[in-house]
Amino acid sequence: MRETPAVDHRQSAAADYLQPLPAERSAYRWFLVLFIAVLAVKLLVAARLPLFVDETFYWLEGQHLAPSYSDLPGLTAWLARLGVSLGGNTELGLRLPFLMIAAAVPWLVARVTAREYGPVHGWQAGSFALLLPLAGTLGLLALPDAAMALATVLCIDAGARLLRQVSAGASLELALGLTIGALSHYRFIAVIGVGLLALLLVRDGRKALRDPRVWTAIAIGAAAWAPLVAWNLGNADAGLRFQLVDRHPWAFHWDGILFVVIQALMVTPLLFAALLAAGWRGYRGALPASRYFALLGGLLVLGFFSLGFFADTERVSFHWPLPGYLALLPLLPAVLAAWPRWLRGLTWLTAGLGLVMVMGYYVAVSVPDLRARAAAEKWYPSNFAGWDELADAVRLERGQMGPDTRLVAGSFKIGAELGFALGDPRIPVLDHPLNVKHGRAPQLQLWNLAAGPRESWPAQFGQAWADAPVLLVIASSDVQYKHLLERYHHLCGKLGPLPPPRVVNVDHGRQRFLLFRFDSSMPTAGNCTAPAMAWIDSPVGGQRVARNFDIAGWAFKDGVGLERVEVTLDGKPVAEVAYGASQPGTAAFWRISNDPNQPRVGFSGRVELGANVTTGRHWLGLRLHGADGSVEAWPEQPIEVR
């Protein structure tokens, strides 16, 4: 008979102890499934999503490598350069380093939480780091937020480790997090300040701060700000003034309430409430790590909420409190464990739906047909739209004008987007309010890409500009309509009378680009000739109209005037209207207009639609015929034909 081997019961018990429990295995599997699914979707969307304007400017900065820049420290530009160097000059190539950095964040959140509260809570916190819409979409755009989130979580982890025991490893991790954060964004100063305050408010934190290894790490992190400080010292503090002074009104405004509401919607309401409850519970808890997470996360979130009542409301700022939410995530599973099962499930579900909705927005932006349907909506994604069509039009124009044609952009947006599309990081840019508003004007000056008056171009860019044709590209949709004629006259003052433009209307003209051909024979001064201006007074946008309806409005073209006005439906002419009615109100509003027809610039007529026009939404526009032979398509507005 074969002898049964002896069993070491101590080894068997140890093996059973080391095996993950069912709850841990389930939490890990859910995390892994979510991680793979979210990363796969992000890779697919990132490959198709048109580049956001800021992304292309970071690409442009990456083509002019430097320790720091006017708008940001250097890391974002360096990552952009790395992405296109390894992955090609494509949307996915540019975004790939940011996607990889963002992919590390949920794993780090899981690690921090598991060490403090156990593996089940760790994988659950990691899962919420994927579902939290602000964190789950990190890296989808090549923006500094991905690196800043990584830096935040590294500092959170290092701080929690230091509360247990000061070690070389924890100090090195703190130094790494502080360095990445310093190279990411000015906003990381808030994480540093609040993190230091949180350590001071916890007894074990004060003990850790007495260790020289911690201050060595802090000194290394402080040294990482040196390139940004040096840039500001050498450029009259232009970057610092923009980030901390110029872009903010620093006056109380009630719009801050909307900031809080938007946060609740962006985080999803139940998850938002759970995170706030987690912060309060952690602050009252006995564990030093819990108090540290609560103080760091809670003070960051509350600080940014308060800032919303005084700071910039014109630019996107809903992502600012993300570092605070990341600090609160380790405390979240314990709070949810005390909730009823149905409420926990609803929290998971709504968080997942929130991520799907945000991802769905990016998917919609990447589909041209869906983008065009949103042309009349307030949420139309103008900073994503129209760049491919513009690049195609520029290639066509340059092909007709000749290989020596020089390209000039009307703003940093156009210069960066066309630079990426055409592989040209040296496109000169005219002065524009947007360059100043977004803090890019000093950088363009440093690169010698800020184009002055037309007569200075040969001296500024070389004698090759003297006789070469020039293609100027501007976006009329980048200027508020009430200031558009003033902008045209400003261009005339720098460039001379503007030639008839080629109009590129994208998404029914919601994005509208004008391409002007200049050559050395054209005057650099004289009476301003500008693109046409128009307005449809009736029917108004979105109005329901009968198959036969009246149309009225006004139109003019400075310098030469208009000869006739056609009405279009879905881009096709459907009527020619009478032009030349007196419009004294129009002339009074546009006082600088030099159209020779002023004030007789009104038009009116009747549009009779045939049987081939279906009921439902259509797009009503104008075709404006100038006395100089130019033809310009005016942006369209939706009407409902009944």
Side-chain angles (χ1 to χ4, degrees):
M1 178 182 292
R2 179 177 298 175
E3 185 177 353
T4 305
V7 177
D8 188 331
H9 293 287
R10 288 175 300 176
Q11 292 182 359
S12 176
D16 290 341
Y17 177 78
L18 292 173
Q19 287 182 354
L21 297 174
E24 180 184 343
R25 289 199 300 270
S26 176
Y28 170 70
R29 288 169 182 166
W30 275 110
F31 170 81
L32 198 59
V33 168
L34 281 172
F35 177 80
I36 294 172
V38 170
L39 182 58
V41 171
K42 284 163 73 171
L43 286 168
L44 290 172
V45 175
R48 292 181 49 86
L49 182 67
L51 289 177
F52 187 72
V53 166
D54 286 350
E55 293 181 278
T56 55
F57 196 79
Y58 301 144
W59 167 87
L60 186 60
E61 289 178 331
Q63 301 303 304
H64 300 82
L65 287 175
S68 192
Y69 301 90
S70 67
D71 54 341
L72 286 179
L75 182 58
T76 304
W78 306 340
L79 291 171
R81 177 65 174 267
L82 177 66
V84 295
S85 297
L86 298 179
N89 205 63
T90 64
E91 287 83 353
L92 183 58
L94 177 63
R95 292 164 173 158
L96 200 54
F98 301 86
L99 286 165
M100 295 302 100
I101 287 173
V105 170
W107 290 92
L108 286 171
V109 169
R111 172 191 163 188
V112 176
T113 310
R115 187 185 61 243
E116 302 296 334
Y117 307 112
V120 174
H121 283 192
W123 296 123
Q124 289 176 350
S127 296
F128 273 109
L130 289 163
L131 293 177
L132 179 66
L134 292 171
T137 54
L138 275 175
L140 194 56
L141 302 180
L143 301 176
D145 300 272
M148 189 173 164
L150 175 64
T152 299
V153 178
L154 287 172
C155 290
I156 292 169
D157 187 28
R161 291 173 65 188
L162 291 171
L163 291 176
R164 288 170 171 257
Q165 181 182 5
V166 177
S167 65
S171 300
L172 283 173
E173 185 181 20
L174 178 62
L176 178 62
L178 291 174
T179 299
I180 295 174
L183 296 173
S184 299
H185 204 286
Y186 286 85
R187 278 200 315 276
F188 194 73
I189 295 172
V191 178
I192 296 173
V194 173
L196 183 61
L197 180 60
L199 287 175
L200 287 170
L201 292 174
V202 177
R203 181 175 59 84
D204 291 334
R206 294 192 294 273
K207 179 181 176 182
L209 287 173
R210 289 194 287 268
D211 194 294
R213 288 171 292 182
V214 176
W215 284 103
T216 301
I218 293 173
I220 293 172
W225 292 95
L228 190 65
V229 172
W231 190 96
N232 278 282
L233 289 175
N235 294 276
D237 297 326
L240 195 63
R241 282 189 292 103
F242 168 72
Q243 291 287 352
L244 301 182
V245 180
D246 295 342
R247 66 176 291 185
H248 301 292
W250 296 122
F252 182 82
H253 51 81
W254 285 105
D255 291 352
I257 294 176
L258 294 177
F259 183 82
V260 179
V261 174
I262 290 170
Q263 286 301 305
L265 294 175
M266 288 298 302
V267 177
T268 67
L270 286 176
L271 183 54
F272 183 72
L275 286 170
L276 295 183
W280 178 248
R281 184 177 185 272
Y283 175 71
R284 299 178 65 192
L287 293 176
S290 297
R291 294 199 66 215
Y292 169 68
F293 295 144
L295 286 167
L296 179 56
L299 290 175
L300 277 171
V301 171
L302 291 175
F304 282 119
F305 281 5
S306 301
L307 189 63
F309 287 94
F310 298 91
D312 181 10
T313 59
E314 294 186 16
R315 299 166 187 82
V316 172
S317 57
F318 58 75
H319 56 296
W320 287 0
L322 176 59
Y325 300 138
L326 292 174
L328 294 174
L329 280 177
L331 302 170
L332 178 65
V335 167
L336 292 180
W339 286 13
R341 184 174 180 180
W342 67 269
L343 189 55
R344 290 199 305 270
L346 193 58
T347 304
W348 284 96
L349 178 62
T350 54
L353 289 175
L355 179 63
V356 169
M357 290 178 65
V358 176
M359 286 286 193
Y361 169 80
Y362 289 119
V363 171
V365 168
S366 66
V367 179
D369 184 57
L370 293 177
R371 217 171 47 231
R373 294 181 187 181
E377 307 298 332
K378 289 184 177 180
W379 57 269
Y380 174 77
S382 58
N383 280 323
F384 288 99
W387 307 115
D388 289 339
E389 294 90 337
L390 176 61
D392 290 341
V394 168
R395 291 187 188 100
L396 181 61
E397 289 290 301
R398 293 177 82 178
Q400 296 172 355
M401 295 173 68
D404 59 340
T405 301
R406 312 294 179 179
L407 186 61
V408 177
S411 70
F412 86 90
K413 290 185 176 184
I414 296 173
E417 289 282 357
L418 285 179
F420 179 86
L422 304 176
D424 183 1
R426 297 295 306 174
I427 298 175
V429 177
L430 294 177
D431 66 311
H432 194 288
L434 288 175
N435 302 346
V436 177
K437 180 179 179 180
H438 293 272
R440 272 66 192 259
Q443 196 61 60
L444 294 170
Q445 291 281 356
L446 288 175
W447 291 332
N448 197 33
L449 294 182
R454 187 169 145 219
E455 60 267 20
S456 71
W457 292 352
Q460 185 176 6
F461 304 115
Q463 287 303 311
W465 284 75
D467 299 317
V470 173
L471 179 63
L472 169 66
V473 184
I474 71 169
S476 63
S477 46
D478 276 347
V479 181
Q480 282 185 308
Y481 190 59
K482 62 183 178 181
H483 300 308
L484 185 55
L485 187 61
E486 182 181 350
R487 178 63 185 171
Y488 288 154
H489 279 249
H490 174 80
L491 291 175
C492 284
K494 283 187 171 291
L495 310 176
L498 301 177
R502 173 180 176 176
V503 179
V504 180
N505 281 330
V506 180
D507 297 337
H508 307 290
R510 183 63 182 268
Q511 275 283 69
R512 191 166 192 258
F513 303 102
L514 304 175
L515 283 62
F516 301 92
R517 296 185 180 189
F518 288 88
D519 58 48
S520 58
S521 66
M522 299 178 63
T524 59
N527 196 33
C528 183
T529 301
M533 305 276 291
W535 192 264
I536 299 175
D537 289 322
S538 64
V540 297
Q543 182 176 330
R544 290 177 59 85
V545 299
R547 194 158 291 275
N548 300 325
F549 61 90
D550 293 325
I551 185 172
W554 51 262
F556 62 86
K557 181 176 175 64
D558 271 16
V560 295
L562 293 175
E563 286 189 340
R564 59 193 183 95
V565 175
E566 286 182 292
V567 179
T568 64
L569 193 74
D570 300 328
K572 299 178 181 178
V574 291
E576 183 166 335
V577 292
Y579 179 70
S582 180
Q583 286 272 3
T586 302
F589 184 84
W590 304 102
R591 290 191 296 270
I592 63 173
S593 174
N594 62 12
D595 183 311
N597 296 322
Q598 288 283 14
R600 305 188 66 80
V601 295
F603 66 82
S604 62
R606 188 159 182 82
V607 178
E608 298 181 355
L609 303 179
N612 293 332
V613 176
T614 60
T615 58
R617 171 169 282 205
H618 292 273
W619 292 87
L620 183 69
L622 302 172
R623 191 170 292 172
L624 309 172
H625 295 259
D628 57 355
S630 62
V631 180
E632 301 176 36
W634 190 249
E636 299 171 320
Q637 63 187 47
I639 57 171
E640 297 289 333
V641 177
R642 61 176 186 264

